[in-house]
Amino acid sequence: MELAYIPSPSRGVLHLGPIPLRGYAFCIIIGVFVAVWLGNKRWIARGGRAGTVADIAVWAVPFGLVGGRLYHVITDYELYFSAGRDWVDAFKVWEGGLGIWGAIAFGAVGAWIGCRRRGIPLPAYADAIAPGIAFAQAIGRWGNWFNQELYGRETHLPWALHITSSEGGRVPGYYHPTFLYESLWCVGVGVLVIWADRRFKLGHGRAFALYVAAYCVGRGWIEYMRVDDAHHILGLRLNDWTAIIVFLLAVAYIVLSSRKRPGRETVVEPGAADELGEPVEGSADGADSADGKDVEDVEDKDSEGRNSEGRNSEGRKSEGKASGGAGSEGAPESGAEAADASGPTDEAKSADEAESASSATKKG
């Protein structure tokens, strides 16, 4: 008898009158809300508008759900199209079965459409929502717990998952809770991306690529523990091969992108800085007061111009004095200019002396 284990829920759906409330669907919905909420905070911190992440998620989420379901149905087609199976079950998403690989791929297409409509670079948007997606996966994995699915090998560890259902070929017993392992791993991936983004200022899609690479590492060893039916290639499950290939592509992208486009985008959403009142080039609200600088520059230039004009005027006066004293053959200056330039002339002095003498004679 097991003294400690993780119990499975007796049922994965509750009925509110005629409305079924399914635990799997609730986990998916809560995960989406968390991803959008965190992505919005990160987007605003990067200089984007509030609400942009949610607007683009309107495109990304439906595409992601369709892609996730398609990947599951294609890779496990025998569950829906083999003898004795009902192909209509392929549309029953609430019963479980969403492949993360298809969800991310198709979700990216939807996000690309939304970003293109708003003139936003997709890599910057992907960087903002990357940790939120990891946390959304961590929450969504608990939907597998409600459905009693995606467990590992048999174990007697204290945290073993107790499977009680015998539907779909299940054998009641105690198994590794691989859903829990992946949930915890996704939390760690989200924390890693947030830390690395703050530490290294990741940009141009590298934060998203880090999330993909880190998730693939965990998915590889967790997938290896699972015992549910799956296609095998060279002794490995199909999802293991997918994780290896996607991991290599993500790492290659990080390396090539860091060489081609180092640093981080300065503008992620055109016009958002103006609406948020952040300092921009030529803005009067900037911390350095660009207009104030312009006024000071104009005043300095005017002052320099006046000083220069004064110096030039003094220079011209000096030239006039030098020319007058040397008796140059240049054109005669006007009386006012000559008086200013060289002072009283000899003739003016003689006239003054004669007038003074005449006045003295008359007095005498």
mmCIF file of all heavy atoms in Angstrom, residues 40-86:
data_model
loop_
_atom_site.group_PDB
_atom_site.id
_atom_site.type_symbol
_atom_site.label_atom_id
_atom_site.label_comp_id
_atom_site.label_asym_id
_atom_site.label_seq_id
_atom_site.Cartn_x
_atom_site.Cartn_y
_atom_site.Cartn_z
ATOM 1 N N ASN A 40 2.174 41.530 -21.982
ATOM 2 C CA ASN A 40 1.815 42.944 -22.052
ATOM 3 C C ASN A 40 2.744 43.789 -21.178
ATOM 4 O O ASN A 40 3.194 44.870 -21.591
ATOM 5 C CB ASN A 40 0.365 43.125 -21.603
ATOM 6 C CG ASN A 40 -0.102 44.559 -21.721
ATOM 7 O OD1 ASN A 40 -0.210 45.109 -22.814
ATOM 8 N ND2 ASN A 40 -0.399 45.174 -20.590
ATOM 9 N N LYS A 41 3.047 43.310 -19.977
ATOM 10 C CA LYS A 41 3.960 44.042 -19.091
ATOM 11 C C LYS A 41 5.350 44.153 -19.732
ATOM 12 O O LYS A 41 5.980 45.217 -19.690
ATOM 13 C CB LYS A 41 4.057 43.333 -17.735
ATOM 14 C CG LYS A 41 2.804 43.441 -16.891
ATOM 15 C CD LYS A 41 2.946 42.668 -15.594
ATOM 16 C CE LYS A 41 4.010 43.235 -14.689
ATOM 17 N NZ LYS A 41 3.665 44.565 -14.170
ATOM 18 N N ARG A 42 5.831 43.086 -20.309
ATOM 19 C CA ARG A 42 7.153 43.109 -20.927
ATOM 20 C C ARG A 42 7.153 43.985 -22.184
ATOM 21 O O ARG A 42 8.141 44.667 -22.467
ATOM 22 C CB ARG A 42 7.600 41.691 -21.265
ATOM 23 C CG ARG A 42 7.995 40.869 -20.047
ATOM 24 C CD ARG A 42 8.231 39.403 -20.414
ATOM 25 N NE ARG A 42 9.176 39.244 -21.491
ATOM 26 C CZ ARG A 42 10.511 39.285 -21.357
ATOM 27 N NH1 ARG A 42 11.045 39.489 -20.167
ATOM 28 N NH2 ARG A 42 11.289 39.112 -22.401
ATOM 29 N N TRP A 43 6.066 43.984 -22.918
ATOM 30 C CA TRP A 43 5.971 44.790 -24.134
ATOM 31 C C TRP A 43 5.991 46.282 -23.800
ATOM 32 O O TRP A 43 6.660 47.072 -24.468
ATOM 33 C CB TRP A 43 4.704 44.419 -24.886
ATOM 34 C CG TRP A 43 4.555 45.110 -26.204
ATOM 35 C CD1 TRP A 43 3.677 46.095 -26.528
ATOM 36 C CD2 TRP A 43 5.310 44.846 -27.399
ATOM 37 N NE1 TRP A 43 3.834 46.477 -27.831
ATOM 38 C CE2 TRP A 43 4.836 45.724 -28.394
ATOM 39 C CE3 TRP A 43 6.343 43.969 -27.714
ATOM 40 C CZ2 TRP A 43 5.349 45.741 -29.687
ATOM 41 C CZ3 TRP A 43 6.859 43.982 -29.001
ATOM 42 C CH2 TRP A 43 6.368 44.863 -29.966
ATOM 43 N N ILE A 44 5.255 46.664 -22.769
ATOM 44 C CA ILE A 44 5.247 48.065 -22.348
ATOM 45 C C ILE A 44 6.639 48.481 -21.872
ATOM 46 O O ILE A 44 7.115 49.581 -22.162
ATOM 47 C CB ILE A 44 4.199 48.292 -21.239
ATOM 48 C CG1 ILE A 44 2.785 48.082 -21.796
ATOM 49 C CG2 ILE A 44 4.327 49.690 -20.649
ATOM 50 C CD1 ILE A 44 1.704 48.138 -20.736
ATOM 51 N N ALA A 45 7.313 47.589 -21.137
ATOM 52 C CA ALA A 45 8.662 47.891 -20.661
ATOM 53 C C ALA A 45 9.637 48.071 -21.818
ATOM 54 O O ALA A 45 10.628 48.811 -21.693
ATOM 55 C CB ALA A 45 9.157 46.779 -19.734
ATOM 56 N N ARG A 46 9.367 47.411 -22.931
ATOM 57 C CA ARG A 46 10.226 47.557 -24.105
ATOM 58 C C ARG A 46 9.887 48.796 -24.932
ATOM 59 O O ARG A 46 10.583 49.100 -25.913
ATOM 60 C CB ARG A 46 10.098 46.312 -24.991
ATOM 61 C CG ARG A 46 10.718 45.047 -24.430
ATOM 62 C CD ARG A 46 12.229 45.083 -24.523
ATOM 63 N NE ARG A 46 12.679 45.258 -25.879
ATOM 64 C CZ ARG A 46 12.836 44.269 -26.747
ATOM 65 N NH1 ARG A 46 12.560 43.029 -26.386
ATOM 66 N NH2 ARG A 46 13.245 44.516 -27.973
ATOM 67 N N GLY A 47 8.819 49.515 -24.555
ATOM 68 C CA GLY A 47 8.456 50.724 -25.288
ATOM 69 C C GLY A 47 7.241 50.586 -26.165
ATOM 70 O O GLY A 47 6.985 51.455 -27.011
ATOM 71 N N GLY A 48 6.463 49.506 -25.994
ATOM 72 C CA GLY A 48 5.270 49.305 -26.803
ATOM 73 C C GLY A 48 4.017 49.836 -26.133
ATOM 74 O O GLY A 48 4.045 50.289 -24.989
ATOM 75 N N ARG A 49 2.910 49.769 -26.845
ATOM 76 C CA ARG A 49 1.625 50.239 -26.330
ATOM 77 C C ARG A 49 0.957 49.155 -25.491
ATOM 78 O O ARG A 49 1.090 47.966 -25.771
ATOM 79 C CB ARG A 49 0.690 50.615 -27.470
ATOM 80 C CG ARG A 49 1.106 51.813 -28.301
ATOM 81 C CD ARG A 49 0.003 52.160 -29.289
ATOM 82 N NE ARG A 49 0.349 53.293 -30.124
ATOM 83 C CZ ARG A 49 0.891 53.194 -31.334
ATOM 84 N NH1 ARG A 49 1.144 51.986 -31.836
ATOM 85 N NH2 ARG A 49 1.172 54.272 -32.042
ATOM 86 N N ALA A 50 0.197 49.585 -24.490
ATOM 87 C CA ALA A 50 -0.621 48.654 -23.713
ATOM 88 C C ALA A 50 -1.742 48.130 -24.597
ATOM 89 O O ALA A 50 -2.373 48.884 -25.335
ATOM 90 C CB ALA A 50 -1.193 49.361 -22.483
ATOM 91 N N GLY A 51 -1.987 46.841 -24.522
ATOM 92 C CA GLY A 51 -3.061 46.226 -25.303
ATOM 93 C C GLY A 51 -2.619 45.633 -26.620
ATOM 94 O O GLY A 51 -3.369 44.854 -27.232
ATOM 95 N N THR A 52 -1.412 45.955 -27.064
ATOM 96 C CA THR A 52 -0.940 45.423 -28.345
ATOM 97 C C THR A 52 -0.781 43.911 -28.292
ATOM 98 O O THR A 52 -1.141 43.195 -29.245
ATOM 99 C CB THR A 52 0.396 46.079 -28.727
ATOM 100 O OG1 THR A 52 0.186 47.476 -28.938
ATOM 101 C CG2 THR A 52 0.965 45.459 -29.999
ATOM 102 N N VAL A 53 -0.250 43.389 -27.187
ATOM 103 C CA VAL A 53 -0.048 41.942 -27.057
ATOM 104 C C VAL A 53 -1.388 41.206 -27.152
ATOM 105 O O VAL A 53 -1.497 40.181 -27.825
ATOM 106 C CB VAL A 53 0.664 41.618 -25.732
ATOM 107 C CG1 VAL A 53 0.656 40.116 -25.468
ATOM 108 C CG2 VAL A 53 2.098 42.120 -25.766
ATOM 109 N N ALA A 54 -2.409 41.729 -26.490
ATOM 110 C CA ALA A 54 -3.728 41.092 -26.535
ATOM 111 C C ALA A 54 -4.316 41.153 -27.942
ATOM 112 O O ALA A 54 -4.947 40.185 -28.406
ATOM 113 C CB ALA A 54 -4.668 41.760 -25.539
ATOM 114 N N ASP A 55 -4.122 42.269 -28.628
ATOM 115 C CA ASP A 55 -4.659 42.399 -29.988
ATOM 116 C C ASP A 55 -4.032 41.370 -30.924
ATOM 117 O O ASP A 55 -4.725 40.781 -31.766
ATOM 118 C CB ASP A 55 -4.407 43.808 -30.521
ATOM 119 C CG ASP A 55 -5.220 44.859 -29.782
ATOM 120 O OD1 ASP A 55 -6.207 44.469 -29.119
ATOM 121 O OD2 ASP A 55 -4.874 46.051 -29.856
ATOM 122 N N ILE A 56 -2.742 41.161 -30.797
ATOM 123 C CA ILE A 56 -2.069 40.182 -31.654
ATOM 124 C C ILE A 56 -2.402 38.763 -31.210
ATOM 125 O O ILE A 56 -2.474 37.840 -32.030
ATOM 126 C CB ILE A 56 -0.553 40.435 -31.649
ATOM 127 C CG1 ILE A 56 -0.261 41.820 -32.243
ATOM 128 C CG2 ILE A 56 0.193 39.357 -32.430
ATOM 129 C CD1 ILE A 56 1.197 42.210 -32.208
ATOM 130 N N ALA A 57 -2.635 38.573 -29.904
ATOM 131 C CA ALA A 57 -3.015 37.245 -29.406
ATOM 132 C C ALA A 57 -4.345 36.789 -29.983
ATOM 133 O O ALA A 57 -4.596 35.581 -30.078
ATOM 134 C CB ALA A 57 -3.080 37.256 -27.884
ATOM 135 N N VAL A 58 -5.193 37.726 -30.371
ATOM 136 C CA VAL A 58 -6.458 37.365 -31.015
ATOM 137 C C VAL A 58 -6.207 36.573 -32.290
ATOM 138 O O VAL A 58 -7.010 35.718 -32.684
ATOM 139 C CB VAL A 58 -7.281 38.643 -31.310
ATOM 140 C CG1 VAL A 58 -8.487 38.329 -32.169
ATOM 141 C CG2 VAL A 58 -7.717 39.296 -30.007
ATOM 142 N N TRP A 59 -5.087 36.839 -32.934
ATOM 143 C CA TRP A 59 -4.688 36.064 -34.116
ATOM 144 C C TRP A 59 -3.886 34.828 -33.723
ATOM 145 O O TRP A 59 -4.088 33.746 -34.276
ATOM 146 C CB TRP A 59 -3.834 36.946 -35.045
ATOM 147 C CG TRP A 59 -4.586 38.017 -35.733
ATOM 148 C CD1 TRP A 59 -4.805 39.287 -35.296
ATOM 149 C CD2 TRP A 59 -5.244 37.909 -37.000
ATOM 150 N NE1 TRP A 59 -5.551 39.982 -36.200
ATOM 151 C CE2 TRP A 59 -5.830 39.167 -37.263
ATOM 152 C CE3 TRP A 59 -5.388 36.889 -37.932
ATOM 153 C CZ2 TRP A 59 -6.556 39.423 -38.420
ATOM 154 C CZ3 TRP A 59 -6.105 37.138 -39.090
ATOM 155 C CH2 TRP A 59 -6.685 38.388 -39.325
ATOM 156 N N ALA A 60 -2.967 34.983 -32.786
ATOM 157 C CA ALA A 60 -2.035 33.906 -32.473
ATOM 158 C C ALA A 60 -2.711 32.722 -31.784
ATOM 159 O O ALA A 60 -2.412 31.561 -32.098
ATOM 160 C CB ALA A 60 -0.901 34.442 -31.607
ATOM 161 N N VAL A 61 -3.614 32.973 -30.831
ATOM 162 C CA VAL A 61 -4.208 31.887 -30.044
ATOM 163 C C VAL A 61 -5.054 30.942 -30.903
ATOM 164 O O VAL A 61 -4.873 29.715 -30.837
ATOM 165 C CB VAL A 61 -5.024 32.455 -28.866
ATOM 166 C CG1 VAL A 61 -5.786 31.343 -28.161
ATOM 167 C CG2 VAL A 61 -4.094 33.154 -27.880
ATOM 168 N N PRO A 62 -5.978 31.436 -31.718
ATOM 169 C CA PRO A 62 -6.745 30.489 -32.558
ATOM 170 C C PRO A 62 -5.860 29.690 -33.505
ATOM 171 O O PRO A 62 -6.065 28.482 -33.688
ATOM 172 C CB PRO A 62 -7.706 31.406 -33.328
ATOM 173 C CG PRO A 62 -7.827 32.624 -32.493
ATOM 174 C CD PRO A 62 -6.483 32.809 -31.872
ATOM 175 N N PHE A 63 -4.881 30.360 -34.109
ATOM 176 C CA PHE A 63 -3.954 29.636 -34.983
ATOM 177 C C PHE A 63 -3.197 28.577 -34.190
ATOM 178 O O PHE A 63 -2.968 27.462 -34.685
ATOM 179 C CB PHE A 63 -2.966 30.616 -35.628
ATOM 180 C CG PHE A 63 -3.444 31.206 -36.918
ATOM 181 C CD1 PHE A 63 -4.410 32.195 -36.930
ATOM 182 C CD2 PHE A 63 -2.926 30.778 -38.128
ATOM 183 C CE1 PHE A 63 -4.866 32.746 -38.111
ATOM 184 C CE2 PHE A 63 -3.356 31.313 -39.330
ATOM 185 C CZ PHE A 63 -4.336 32.311 -39.329
ATOM 186 N N GLY A 64 -2.799 28.919 -32.977
ATOM 187 C CA GLY A 64 -2.065 27.971 -32.151
ATOM 188 C C GLY A 64 -2.899 26.753 -31.786
ATOM 189 O O GLY A 64 -2.401 25.616 -31.795
ATOM 190 N N LEU A 65 -4.166 26.968 -31.451
ATOM 191 C CA LEU A 65 -5.045 25.841 -31.116
ATOM 192 C C LEU A 65 -5.238 24.923 -32.312
ATOM 193 O O LEU A 65 -5.194 23.690 -32.182
ATOM 194 C CB LEU A 65 -6.391 26.366 -30.619
ATOM 195 C CG LEU A 65 -6.376 27.085 -29.257
ATOM 196 C CD1 LEU A 65 -7.752 27.667 -28.956
ATOM 197 C CD2 LEU A 65 -5.952 26.122 -28.146
ATOM 198 N N VAL A 66 -5.447 25.518 -33.479
ATOM 199 C CA VAL A 66 -5.624 24.698 -34.688
ATOM 200 C C VAL A 66 -4.342 23.937 -34.994
ATOM 201 O O VAL A 66 -4.370 22.733 -35.302
ATOM 202 C CB VAL A 66 -6.025 25.592 -35.877
ATOM 203 C CG1 VAL A 66 -6.022 24.784 -37.176
ATOM 204 C CG2 VAL A 66 -7.416 26.189 -35.655
ATOM 205 N N GLY A 67 -3.193 24.619 -34.904
ATOM 206 C CA GLY A 67 -1.928 23.957 -35.197
ATOM 207 C C GLY A 67 -1.607 22.855 -34.210
ATOM 208 O O GLY A 67 -1.122 21.780 -34.602
ATOM 209 N N GLY A 68 -1.880 23.109 -32.925
ATOM 210 C CA GLY A 68 -1.633 22.079 -31.921
ATOM 211 C C GLY A 68 -2.479 20.841 -32.139
ATOM 212 O O GLY A 68 -2.006 19.704 -31.993
ATOM 213 N N ARG A 69 -3.737 21.064 -32.505
ATOM 214 C CA ARG A 69 -4.620 19.914 -32.745
ATOM 215 C C ARG A 69 -4.215 19.164 -34.009
ATOM 216 O O ARG A 69 -4.230 17.918 -34.041
ATOM 217 C CB ARG A 69 -6.069 20.389 -32.859
ATOM 218 C CG ARG A 69 -7.084 19.244 -32.910
ATOM 219 C CD ARG A 69 -7.003 18.402 -31.650
ATOM 220 N NE ARG A 69 -8.037 17.359 -31.641
ATOM 221 C CZ ARG A 69 -8.167 16.464 -30.683
ATOM 222 N NH1 ARG A 69 -7.321 16.464 -29.659
ATOM 223 N NH2 ARG A 69 -9.129 15.550 -30.730
ATOM 224 N N LEU A 70 -3.840 19.894 -35.047
ATOM 225 C CA LEU A 70 -3.421 19.242 -36.293
ATOM 226 C C LEU A 70 -2.187 18.377 -36.070
ATOM 227 O O LEU A 70 -2.107 17.246 -36.585
ATOM 228 C CB LEU A 70 -3.128 20.302 -37.364
ATOM 229 C CG LEU A 70 -4.327 20.882 -38.110
ATOM 230 C CD1 LEU A 70 -3.871 21.984 -39.060
ATOM 231 C CD2 LEU A 70 -5.063 19.780 -38.882
ATOM 232 N N TYR A 71 -1.214 18.890 -35.324
ATOM 233 C CA TYR A 71 -0.011 18.101 -35.064
ATOM 234 C C TYR A 71 -0.355 16.813 -34.325
ATOM 235 O O TYR A 71 0.168 15.731 -34.659
ATOM 236 C CB TYR A 71 0.987 18.928 -34.242
ATOM 237 C CG TYR A 71 2.279 18.204 -33.959
ATOM 238 C CD1 TYR A 71 3.344 18.269 -34.852
ATOM 239 C CD2 TYR A 71 2.439 17.437 -32.796
ATOM 240 C CE1 TYR A 71 4.531 17.599 -34.596
ATOM 241 C CE2 TYR A 71 3.613 16.774 -32.535
ATOM 242 C CZ TYR A 71 4.658 16.849 -33.435
ATOM 243 O OH TYR A 71 5.828 16.171 -33.180
ATOM 244 N N HIS A 72 -1.220 16.924 -33.330
ATOM 245 C CA HIS A 72 -1.610 15.730 -32.576
ATOM 246 C C HIS A 72 -2.345 14.723 -33.454
ATOM 247 O O HIS A 72 -2.049 13.514 -33.407
ATOM 248 C CB HIS A 72 -2.496 16.137 -31.399
ATOM 249 C CG HIS A 72 -3.149 14.978 -30.721
ATOM 250 N ND1 HIS A 72 -2.469 14.088 -29.920
ATOM 251 C CD2 HIS A 72 -4.451 14.544 -30.739
ATOM 252 C CE1 HIS A 72 -3.296 13.165 -29.461
ATOM 253 N NE2 HIS A 72 -4.509 13.416 -29.943
ATOM 254 N N VAL A 73 -3.288 15.194 -34.243
ATOM 255 C CA VAL A 73 -4.080 14.288 -35.073
ATOM 256 C C VAL A 73 -3.207 13.628 -36.134
ATOM 257 O O VAL A 73 -3.337 12.430 -36.416
ATOM 258 C CB VAL A 73 -5.249 15.048 -35.721
ATOM 259 C CG1 VAL A 73 -5.964 14.168 -36.757
ATOM 260 C CG2 VAL A 73 -6.244 15.504 -34.659
ATOM 261 N N ILE A 74 -2.278 14.394 -36.728
ATOM 262 C CA ILE A 74 -1.423 13.837 -37.780
ATOM 263 C C ILE A 74 -0.448 12.812 -37.215
ATOM 264 O O ILE A 74 -0.238 11.737 -37.801
ATOM 265 C CB ILE A 74 -0.666 14.969 -38.497
ATOM 266 C CG1 ILE A 74 -1.644 15.819 -39.304
ATOM 267 C CG2 ILE A 74 0.426 14.406 -39.411
ATOM 268 C CD1 ILE A 74 -1.025 17.054 -39.915
ATOM 269 N N THR A 75 0.157 13.118 -36.079
ATOM 270 C CA THR A 75 1.149 12.198 -35.510
ATOM 271 C C THR A 75 0.505 11.007 -34.799
ATOM 272 O O THR A 75 1.178 9.993 -34.570
ATOM 273 C CB THR A 75 2.065 12.950 -34.529
ATOM 274 O OG1 THR A 75 1.270 13.586 -33.522
ATOM 275 C CG2 THR A 75 2.885 13.996 -35.266
ATOM 276 N N ASP A 76 -0.765 11.117 -34.411
ATOM 277 C CA ASP A 76 -1.496 10.006 -33.784
ATOM 278 C C ASP A 76 -2.782 9.711 -34.554
ATOM 279 O O ASP A 76 -3.857 9.534 -33.972
ATOM 280 C CB ASP A 76 -1.831 10.349 -32.324
ATOM 281 C CG ASP A 76 -0.597 10.434 -31.443
ATOM 282 O OD1 ASP A 76 0.229 9.509 -31.488
ATOM 283 O OD2 ASP A 76 -0.452 11.438 -30.729
ATOM 284 N N TYR A 77 -2.642 9.633 -35.877
ATOM 285 C CA TYR A 77 -3.813 9.478 -36.744
ATOM 286 C C TYR A 77 -4.572 8.192 -36.475
ATOM 287 O O TYR A 77 -5.787 8.104 -36.687
ATOM 288 C CB TYR A 77 -3.371 9.522 -38.207
ATOM 289 C CG TYR A 77 -2.416 8.412 -38.586
ATOM 290 C CD1 TYR A 77 -2.879 7.177 -39.036
ATOM 291 C CD2 TYR A 77 -1.043 8.594 -38.494
ATOM 292 C CE1 TYR A 77 -1.993 6.163 -39.369
ATOM 293 C CE2 TYR A 77 -0.161 7.592 -38.818
ATOM 294 C CZ TYR A 77 -0.643 6.376 -39.260
ATOM 295 O OH TYR A 77 0.238 5.364 -39.586
ATOM 296 N N GLU A 78 -3.866 7.158 -35.979
ATOM 297 C CA GLU A 78 -4.533 5.872 -35.757
ATOM 298 C C GLU A 78 -5.603 5.975 -34.665
ATOM 299 O O GLU A 78 -6.496 5.114 -34.591
ATOM 300 C CB GLU A 78 -3.504 4.803 -35.393
ATOM 301 C CG GLU A 78 -2.783 5.003 -34.070
ATOM 302 C CD GLU A 78 -1.627 5.977 -34.142
ATOM 303 O OE1 GLU A 78 -1.353 6.469 -35.266
ATOM 304 O OE2 GLU A 78 -1.006 6.247 -33.107
ATOM 305 N N LEU A 79 -5.511 7.010 -33.825
ATOM 306 C CA LEU A 79 -6.516 7.175 -32.786
ATOM 307 C C LEU A 79 -7.856 7.653 -33.341
ATOM 308 O O LEU A 79 -8.877 7.574 -32.653
ATOM 309 C CB LEU A 79 -6.027 8.173 -31.721
ATOM 310 C CG LEU A 79 -4.755 7.796 -30.961
ATOM 311 C CD1 LEU A 79 -4.366 8.929 -30.014
ATOM 312 C CD2 LEU A 79 -4.963 6.497 -30.195
ATOM 313 N N TYR A 80 -7.841 8.127 -34.573
ATOM 314 C CA TYR A 80 -9.047 8.725 -35.140
ATOM 315 C C TYR A 80 -9.473 8.126 -36.478
ATOM 316 O O TYR A 80 -10.643 8.212 -36.847
ATOM 317 C CB TYR A 80 -8.843 10.244 -35.316
ATOM 318 C CG TYR A 80 -8.355 10.916 -34.053
ATOM 319 C CD1 TYR A 80 -7.004 11.223 -33.881
ATOM 320 C CD2 TYR A 80 -9.234 11.229 -33.024
ATOM 321 C CE1 TYR A 80 -6.549 11.833 -32.722
ATOM 322 C CE2 TYR A 80 -8.786 11.833 -31.858
ATOM 323 C CZ TYR A 80 -7.449 12.132 -31.711
ATOM 324 O OH TYR A 80 -6.996 12.724 -30.563
ATOM 325 N N PHE A 81 -8.552 7.509 -37.191
ATOM 326 C CA PHE A 81 -8.879 7.046 -38.540
ATOM 327 C C PHE A 81 -8.634 5.562 -38.753
ATOM 328 O O PHE A 81 -8.774 5.059 -39.864
ATOM 329 C CB PHE A 81 -8.062 7.847 -39.576
ATOM 330 C CG PHE A 81 -8.277 9.337 -39.492
ATOM 331 C CD1 PHE A 81 -7.326 10.159 -38.913
ATOM 332 C CD2 PHE A 81 -9.452 9.900 -39.971
ATOM 333 C CE1 PHE A 81 -7.519 11.519 -38.825
ATOM 334 C CE2 PHE A 81 -9.658 11.274 -39.887
ATOM 335 C CZ PHE A 81 -8.690 12.086 -39.312
ATOM 336 N N SER A 82 -8.263 4.835 -37.704
ATOM 337 C CA SER A 82 -8.088 3.387 -37.843
ATOM 338 C C SER A 82 -9.427 2.688 -37.663
ATOM 339 O O SER A 82 -10.446 3.313 -37.340
ATOM 340 C CB SER A 82 -7.067 2.882 -36.808
ATOM 341 O OG SER A 82 -7.506 3.175 -35.496
ATOM 342 N N ALA A 83 -9.408 1.378 -37.864
ATOM 343 C CA ALA A 83 -10.651 0.601 -37.776
ATOM 344 C C ALA A 83 -11.261 0.701 -36.384
ATOM 345 O O ALA A 83 -10.560 0.571 -35.370
ATOM 346 C CB ALA A 83 -10.368 -0.872 -38.120
ATOM 347 N N GLY A 84 -12.542 0.936 -36.344
ATOM 348 C CA GLY A 84 -13.264 1.021 -35.086
ATOM 349 C C GLY A 84 -13.200 2.390 -34.415
ATOM 350 O O GLY A 84 -13.774 2.579 -33.346
ATOM 351 N N ARG A 85 -12.531 3.350 -35.073
ATOM 352 C CA ARG A 85 -12.418 4.692 -34.519
ATOM 353 C C ARG A 85 -13.386 5.634 -35.230
ATOM 354 O O ARG A 85 -13.757 5.420 -36.391
ATOM 355 C CB ARG A 85 -10.990 5.229 -34.661
ATOM 356 C CG ARG A 85 -9.956 4.399 -33.916
ATOM 357 C CD ARG A 85 -10.030 4.651 -32.420
ATOM 358 N NE ARG A 85 -8.961 3.938 -31.707
ATOM 359 C CZ ARG A 85 -8.692 4.106 -30.431
ATOM 360 N NH1 ARG A 85 -9.405 4.958 -29.703
ATOM 361 N NH2 ARG A 85 -7.722 3.417 -29.855
ATOM 362 N N ASP A 86 -13.770 6.673 -34.540
ATOM 363 C CA ASP A 86 -14.680 7.656 -35.110
ATOM 364 C C ASP A 86 -13.885 8.925 -35.434
ATOM 365 O O ASP A 86 -13.335 9.569 -34.536
ATOM 366 C CB ASP A 86 -15.805 7.974 -34.123
ATOM 367 C CG ASP A 86 -16.880 8.872 -34.716
ATOM 368 O OD1 ASP A 86 -16.740 9.267 -35.898
ATOM 369 O OD2 ASP A 86 -17.847 9.186 -33.997
#
